[in-house]
Amino acid sequence: MKTVFVKPAEAERKWYVIDAEGKVLGRVAARVASILRGKEKAIFAPHQEIGDYVVIVNADKVVVTGRKKSQKMYHHHTGFVGGLKSYSFETLISRHPTQPLELAIKGMLPKGPLGRKLFKNVKVYAGPTHPHGAQNPQPIEL
């Protein structure tokens, strides 16, 4: 079977909106990553950007199971000696409400230029409103 090459103009790109309120963090991130890559399309090719756009609202109300709220840790390094900073899920979501969901989605995308390009197609908002009404996004249930 030959490799499918789809011209960017021929790929139909849709907009979807997902309400993350009360949904589990990993399940939302896995579904969004699949939509961004275009895996649900018949013309899927792992080396092309043919996925759709996703708008996520109520990202601050996403939930985690078990005791992850206090035990799940996020780490980053400032670049200085001894600059390793660690935050729990609870602390991170209170400071930056969209960051846990963004980090989960980014971790599920391919690493490299394609993954960085795909990540630009997701828009995450902490509240229930978003400025992408003109694109007429279709709601998706998880």
Side-chain angles (χ1 to χ4, degrees):
M1 185 170 161
K2 290 190 172 193
T3 304
V4 178
F5 287 97
V6 180
K7 294 178 184 170
E10 292 176 2
E12 183 183 345
R13 314 278 299 273
K14 295 181 182 176
W15 282 75
Y16 295 108
V17 63
I18 293 178
D19 187 2
E21 183 175 3
K23 305 287 192 308
V24 179
L25 173 71
R27 300 206 181 245
V28 173
R31 183 70 194 272
V32 170
S34 177
I35 293 169
L36 289 174
R37 291 214 55 200
K39 286 191 150 195
E40 297 164 356
K41 295 184 175 186
I43 58 172
F44 171 71
H47 62 279
Q48 285 186 303
E49 180 198 10
I50 56 170
D52 298 318
Y53 298 91
V54 180
V55 177
I56 302 172
V57 294
N58 291 322
D60 56 342
K61 295 181 180 80
V62 72
V63 297
V64 289
T65 58
R67 292 187 286 178
K68 291 187 201 105
K69 195 166 200 161
S70 59
Q71 290 182 351
K72 183 172 178 59
M73 300 300 286
Y74 292 90
H75 310 284
H76 83 276
H77 201 282
T78 62
F80 291 96
V81 176
L84 182 65
K85 303 292 181 186
S86 299
Y87 305 106
S88 68
F89 174 82
E90 210 168 24
T91 306
L92 188 63
I93 206 153
S94 66
R95 290 183 185 178
H96 306 284
T98 62
Q99 198 163 11
L101 196 54
E102 289 173 352
L103 289 171
I105 293 167
K106 194 175 229 179
M108 293 181 185
L109 291 174
K111 310 310 181 255
L114 179 64
R116 290 189 292 272
K117 192 172 182 183
L118 290 173
F119 186 70
K120 291 178 183 177
N121 296 341
V122 64
K123 316 295 182 196
V124 184
Y125 298 101
T129 60
H130 62 86
H132 303 286
Q135 282 76 23
N136 195 18
Q138 304 301 315
I140 289 183
E141 287 299 321
L142 298 177

